[in-house]
Amino acid sequence: MDNKVEMGVLKLFPTLVYQIDASELIESSLKILDKVSWTNKENNASTSKYILRSNKKLVSKFNDKINLCLDTLGYEMPFKMTTSWWTKTAPGDVVIRHNHSNCVWSAVFYPYEDASALVIENTDRPMIDIAFKCSDPQYMPYGTAHINPKKGCILVFPSHLYHWTLKNTSNKYRYSLAMNFMPHGNVYHGDSSYNFQ
């Protein structure tokens, strides 16, 4: 008798995190960083949460990058940037755990090497929670994943996911450009509609 069992794994409803090369946007982004004023509070950030607003060409390039990856989902309308700000993490500091409730997709752009890992957490735990040993985020039903960004990389992820950084172990400030995105246009859902400008 043959005891061989065929087994396949269907990865249903994955949490999508996109990695996009945008190294061609480093120089123009850093020109804006040179002029930033800072909050000097926890999760030190630029005082403006619309830091890119005056640079429509750069905003358009980021929008194009985001829409290119989100095209895999076949959204009925494009997405556009709503807010943007620089973060500045001192040596030994972290960006604390948080999520963004004012948008659909969030993104972080890394203009420098050796950025601290971004940790993304999926908290969809079942009612009966039994410990497991798997550490591969492509198979884990929930938990955290560490992503080590490369210079010039944009990470794009659903805004409701909690995220934070590991400690900045370098002797330099860690800079990143954070952005949020919303649909642009009319959304029809059942008997409701919304017009996102």
Side-chain angles (χ1 to χ4, degrees), residues 14-18 66-67 69-70 72-73 75 79-83 100 102-108 155-161 179-183:
T15 298
L16 299 175
V17 177
Y18 296 94
I66 300 307
N67 282 300
C69 71
L70 295 181
T72 60
L73 293 171
Y75 281 112
F79 280 73
K80 75 172 192 174
M81 184 186 300
T82 55
T83 53
H100 302 203
N102 59 345
C103 53
V104 178
W105 289 91
S106 292
V108 184
L155 295 177
V156 183
F157 51 91
S159 302
H160 70 277
L161 293 178
M179 298 165 274
N180 287 328
F181 295 85
M182 284 288 285

Side-chain angles (χ1 to χ4, degrees), residues 108-174:
V108 184
F109 178 56
Y110 298 91
Y112 294 112
E113 290 285 354
D114 303 322
S116 306
L118 179 70
V119 182
I120 294 183
E121 179 181 39
N122 181 348
T123 57
D124 294 337
R125 294 177 183 264
M127 295 289 286
I128 299 173
D129 189 9
I130 302 168
F132 51 85
K133 294 177 184 172
C134 177
S135 60
D136 183 342
Q138 293 191 57
Y139 289 95
M140 293 165 38
Y142 59 87
T144 60
H146 296 207
I147 303 171
N148 293 304
K150 293 184 171 73
K151 178 179 179 178
C153 170
I154 305 173
L155 295 177
V156 183
F157 51 91
S159 302
H160 70 277
L161 293 178
Y162 280 93
H163 53 283
W164 61 93
T165 65
L166 297 182
K167 185 190 290 187
N168 178 1
T169 57
S170 76
N171 59 359
K172 299 180 287 191
Y173 280 98
R174 170 196 177 270

